[in-house]
């Protein structure tokens, strides 16, 4: 009788069979059974005798959401979290997921452009060898092919910029080491600020490494310190300037992975290790090239020719909204989700696919004597007006003066957060 009652209920419109529900939701019966097994979409009723599944027509919208999320490539584990949220929270999660996908796509595009440049340069070099009749390698054309907006903001401060133009010395790779020996003259400074009682920011400035890290969570201070320690030259083998562009890029990838592991180890003792982590923006110097490692919303800027350019792209929710035009820069300053990061080095022991997705961006930069670089945490960039930031970087005579001015500006703006900054000048080695 119970089975007959359930069948009558299904036939009366209260519940529908799996076949009918598959038609309504545009999902196959096989997919519905799979989603049931994974807990993503449970039937309203399962016959205990024959195992027939019955669904409430009200479940159709949820089923369609699962199907749509699968179509954009979202992992099933993340879909399971999203379908349990209300509509507003689900929308925020989907936006964050897609912004991260776009950031990863941009990073892969940068690597592809590097490979095109690198192989094209090799082809041109081979064509100049006497007796070589091989192909000169036409793919991608000559020179730099432009860098991704997902990797760099390509306009000077005060303007939005556009992809592939504006930033001198982008992620393209120079044809070879610079002719004049260069060196780095630098200074670093961190400050607790006027509101916080502890300092989770870290900074380092040396002849081979420039780095800032902004820790968060219970183990934030340990995370930021560990990330920078993993990048120091003794850890990655830099020092003689003899690394080729390809070797340096490989070294950067290995170093970024080392920083990720160091952060996980550093925060493992915390009660909530997956809630602790750090941003990281660093530049590694070999004597002829700079390698950039970046994840999170700390920033790097380049001063060249009197203009200050941002050369990193924030991995944050508000930046993704600025990118797609749904939020202005002015609105971003007061947006409630402005602290939400899409990528960071975190303490959670993640599976390989997720760990790769959270790997820092890495790229190479060409340098010129007279360049000045600024690396800073958002304790500076989020509170100091861009015009004041530019003026302080441009007018300071030496890096030590610049970092003192910048921290002072953060205090004048209220000092609501920890501050970390590094300023470095590229100089002719003889001058240093």
């Amino acid at each position: 009788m119970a089975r007959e009652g359930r069948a009558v209920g299904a036939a009366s419109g209260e519940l529908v069979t799996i076949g009918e529900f598959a038609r309504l939701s545009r999902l196959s019966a096989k997919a519905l059974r799979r989603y049931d097994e994974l807990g993503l979409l449970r039937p309203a009723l399962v016959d205990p005798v024959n195992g027939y599944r019955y669904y409430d027509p009200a479940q159709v919208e949820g089923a369609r959401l699962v199907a749509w999320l699968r179509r954009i490539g979202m992992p099933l584990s993340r879909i399971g979290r999203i379908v349990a949220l209300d509509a507003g929270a689900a929308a925020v999660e989907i936006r964050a997921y897609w912004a991260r996908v776009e950031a990863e796509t941009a990073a892969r595009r940068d690597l592809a452009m590097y490979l095109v440049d690198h192989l094209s340069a090799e082809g041109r070099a081979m064509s100049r060898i006497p007796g070589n009749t091989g192909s000169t390698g036409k793919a991608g054309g000559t020179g730099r092919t432009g860098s991704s907006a997902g990797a760099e903001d390509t306009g000077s401060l005060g303007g939005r910029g556009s992809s592939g133009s504006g930033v001198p010395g982008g992620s393209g790779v120079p044809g070879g080491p610079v002719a004049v020996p260069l060196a780095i003259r630098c200074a670093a400074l961190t400050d607790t600020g006027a509101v916080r009682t502890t300092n989770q920011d870290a900074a380092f400035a040396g002849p081979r490494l420039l780095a800032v890290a902004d820790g968060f969570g219970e183990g934030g201070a340990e995370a930021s310190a560990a990330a920078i320690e993993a990048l120091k030259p003794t850890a990655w083998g830099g020092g003689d300037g003899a690394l080729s562009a390809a070797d340096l890029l490989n070294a950067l990838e290995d170093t970024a992975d080392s920083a990720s592991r160091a952060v996980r180890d550093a925060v493992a003792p915390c009660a909530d290790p997956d809630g602790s982590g750090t941003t990281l923006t660093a530049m590694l110097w070999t004597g002829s090239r700079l390698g950039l490692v970046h994840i999170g919303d700390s920033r790097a800027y380049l001063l060249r020719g009197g203009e200050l350019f941002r050369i990193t792209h924030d991995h944050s929710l508000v930046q993704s909204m600025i990118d797609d035009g749904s939020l202005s820069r002015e609105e971003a300053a007061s947006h409630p989700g402005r602290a939400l990061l899409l990528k960071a080095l975190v303490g959670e022991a993640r599976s390989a696919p997720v760990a790769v997705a959270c790997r820092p961006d890495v790229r190479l930069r060409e340098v010129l004597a007279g360049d000045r670089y600024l690396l800073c945490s958002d304790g500076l960039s989020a509170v100091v007006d861009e015009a004041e930031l530019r003026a302080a970087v441009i007018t300071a005579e030496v890096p030590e003066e610049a970092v003192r001015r910048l921290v002072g500006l953060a205090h004048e703006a209220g000092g609501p957060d920890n501050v970390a900054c590094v300023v470095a000048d590229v100089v002719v080695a003889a001058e240093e």
Side-chain angles (χ1 to χ4, degrees):
M1 291 296 293
R3 286 176 57 192
E4 291 179 1
R6 282 190 286 272
V8 169
S12 67
E14 295 176 8
L15 298 178
V16 297
T17 64
I18 189 172
E20 177 63 13
F21 191 74
R23 186 187 67 80
L24 293 172
S25 63
R26 304 288 181 89
L27 290 169
S28 68
K30 180 179 179 181
L32 289 173
R33 285 190 289 268
R34 174 65 172 158
Y35 295 159
D36 178 16
E37 293 168 359
L38 295 172
L40 294 178
L41 189 63
R42 296 290 194 188
L45 184 70
V46 178
D47 191 303
V49 177
N50 58 29
Y52 289 169
R53 294 170 170 87
Y54 296 97
Y55 293 82
D56 190 326
Q59 294 179 276
V60 168
E61 286 304 315
R64 288 174 177 169
L65 176 59
V66 172
W68 291 332
L69 294 176
R70 287 296 291 154
R71 288 178 66 182
I72 66 173
M74 183 177 289
L76 290 171
S77 59
R78 187 158 189 166
I79 293 175
R81 296 195 298 270
I82 288 179
V83 296
L85 300 174
D86 61 52
V92 171
E93 282 291 314
I94 295 169
R95 177 184 288 278
Y97 167 77
W98 192 248
R100 186 158 133 184
V101 169
E102 290 184 326
E104 291 304 319
T105 301
R108 289 193 294 270
R109 183 169 61 240
D110 276 352
L111 179 57
M113 292 302 97
Y114 159 76
L115 293 172
V116 170
D117 286 349
H118 178 63
L119 294 175
S120 297
E122 279 195 352
R124 290 192 295 271
M126 290 295 291
S127 71
R128 292 193 291 269
I129 297 175
N132 182 11
T133 59
S135 170
T136 59
K138 297 174 67 176
T142 59
R144 291 209 325 274
T145 56
S147 59
S148 160
E152 303 182 358
D153 267 9
T154 51
S156 60
L157 282 187
R160 292 283 301 272
S162 60
S163 177
S165 64
V167 173
S171 59
V173 180
V178 291
V180 179
L182 300 176
I184 297 290
R185 180 184 297 154
C186 54
L189 187 61
T190 66
D191 188 84
T192 305
V195 176
R196 302 289 179 90
T197 57
T198 59
N199 191 355
Q200 293 186 313
D201 282 10
F204 181 86
R208 296 293 173 184
L209 173 67
L210 314 169
V212 297
D214 182 356
F216 56 84
E218 176 190 355
E222 292 80 3
S224 59
I228 290 180
E229 189 65 30
L231 297 187
K232 290 185 177 178
T234 53
W236 65 277
D240 59 9
L243 289 177
S244 68
D247 288 339
L248 178 55
L249 194 64
N250 286 337
L252 291 174
E253 292 278 2
D254 293 342
T255 301
D257 289 342
S258 296
S260 298
R261 290 192 298 271
V263 169
R264 289 197 296 272
D265 292 343
V267 303
C270 297
D272 183 23
D274 60 337
S276 297
T278 186
T279 69
L280 177 66
T281 300
M283 305 193 84
L284 287 74
W285 172 245
T286 68
S288 60
R289 296 182 177 92
L290 272 172
L292 175 66
V293 178
H294 170 68
I295 189 169
D297 63 354
S298 295
R299 293 180 176 179
Y301 298 86
L302 166 65
L303 175 65
R304 181 181 289 178
E307 294 292 337
L308 190 67
F309 302 91
R310 177 149 63 105
I311 58 173
T312 54
H313 197 76
D314 293 349
H315 299 135
S316 65
L317 176 64
V318 295
Q319 183 64 60
S320 73
M321 297 173 72
I322 292 171
D323 293 342
D324 67 21
S326 61
L327 195 69
S328 70
R329 292 183 182 275
E330 293 72 25
E331 292 169 335
S334 58
H335 191 276
R338 61 187 178 277
L340 179 60
L341 295 177
L342 301 180
K343 290 175 61 177
L345 301 180
V346 294
E348 183 181 358
R350 295 168 177 251
S351 62
V354 179
V356 171
C358 287
R359 179 180 291 164
D361 297 340
V362 297
R363 58 188 45 83
L364 306 182
R365 295 199 60 84
E366 59 181 286
V367 296
L368 296 176
D371 286 349
R372 170 169 284 183
Y373 288 91
L374 163 65
L375 282 64
C376 66
S377 65
D378 67 342
L380 176 66
S381 60
V383 299
V384 175
D385 179 81
E386 289 184 344
E388 291 183 296
L389 186 71
R390 179 178 181 273
V393 174
I394 290 177
T395 59
E397 289 292 329
V398 293
E400 291 81 2
E401 178 187 353
V403 295
R404 289 195 299 269
R405 285 192 185 185
L406 292 166
V407 171
L409 288 174
H411 271 274
E412 290 174 13
D417 198 358
N418 304 152
V419 184
C421 59
V422 169
V423 173
D425 292 340
V426 180
V427 298
V428 175
E431 297 176 0
E432 181 62 22

